[in-house]
Amino acid sequence: MPGEAEAGTVAGTLARPAPLRPVAPGPAETVLWEGRPSLGAGRLFELLFLLVLLGLLTWTAVLLIAPHLGGSAFAGQPGPEALPVILLLVIGTVIIIALPVWLRASARGRARYMLTNRRALVWLGRSVIGEAILFGAEMEVTPTGVGFWSHGLYLDWRLKDERPDQLRFERLADPETVAAIAEAQGARRLPPPEAGA
């Protein structure tokens, strides 16, 4: 049908699919604000928590393997040549579980935040790892941060957590300033949650 053939074209050009990862602001986009998470007790607490978690994971891995070091029906009678394999299993278990936790904490600590006249962006190095369109976005303001939810929200796996998906500017020194800039670009502030709710 002719209508179907023309559906993918606009003014004689083929429609392009949306990019998988958001792109940097172009010439038509103005940067209104940039910032980083503030360092402080929160960051120190995260680092301490990560070290405690790594210690517990290592201890758990050792406890799981320790009963088999003296020999068992499952492991047989391990000799001196089994020690490198046992150490490799313990180290591998810790790395497999701890590496994603470390990558997530590291990314959130090194993130850079940006508001343009169109989008809220989270950068890591030279890559955009989070994007929310500001016009029509719902915005949640807390004493330490601002969260955005919009249609077409993009989040790298390092920005996702157990809470509902939201692009979060965390550990901000002045969240109200950021919220005011976003509101001027069409974001809608959600009412604060009621006490006891």
Side-chain angles (χ1 to χ4, degrees):
M1 292 177 61
E4 290 178 5
E6 295 171 5
T9 62
V10 177
T13 61
L14 291 175
R16 295 182 180 175
L20 295 177
R21 183 178 290 275
V23 295
E29 201 167 358
T30 305
V31 176
L32 304 174
W33 177 87
E34 287 186 74
R36 292 184 176 274
S38 60
L39 298 176
R43 182 79 176 126
L44 184 62
F45 177 75
E46 283 180 7
L47 181 60
L48 183 61
F49 176 76
L50 184 60
L51 291 174
V52 169
L53 181 63
L54 284 175
L56 287 173
L57 288 173
T58 305
W59 181 248
T60 303
V62 169
L63 287 178
L64 288 172
I65 293 172
H68 304 290
L69 294 178
S72 68
F74 171 73
Q77 295 297 324
E81 67 278 358
L83 185 59
V85 175
I86 292 169
L87 289 176
L88 186 63
L89 286 172
V90 171
I91 293 168
T93 301
V94 172
I95 289 174
I96 287 170
I97 297 172
L99 189 60
V101 176
W102 179 81
L103 288 173
R104 177 189 301 240
S106 173
R108 289 184 171 205
R110 295 182 295 122
R112 180 168 49 101
Y113 305 135
M114 180 183 288
L115 285 181
T116 73
N117 58 330
R118 293 182 52 227
R119 302 179 289 167
L121 301 170
V122 178
W123 291 76
L124 185 60
R126 296 181 181 183
S127 300
V128 177
I129 62 170
E131 173 191 62
I133 304 301
L134 287 177
F135 187 78
E138 293 181 337
M139 180 174 59
E140 181 182 51
V141 184
T142 67
T144 59
V146 180
F148 300 96
W149 183 89
S150 68
H151 293 290
L153 182 72
Y154 175 86
L155 292 177
D156 184 274
W157 68 269
R158 289 165 290 189
L159 298 178
K160 292 175 176 272
D161 52 29
E162 70 281 356
R163 297 175 286 179
D165 283 349
Q166 202 178 45
L167 187 138
R168 293 178 176 88
F169 287 3
E170 301 172 310
R171 297 195 308 268
L172 295 177
D174 188 8
E176 286 298 332
T177 299
V178 175
I181 294 170
E183 277 184 304
Q185 304 309 313
R188 183 173 63 87
R189 184 189 294 242
L190 293 174
E194 294 180 15

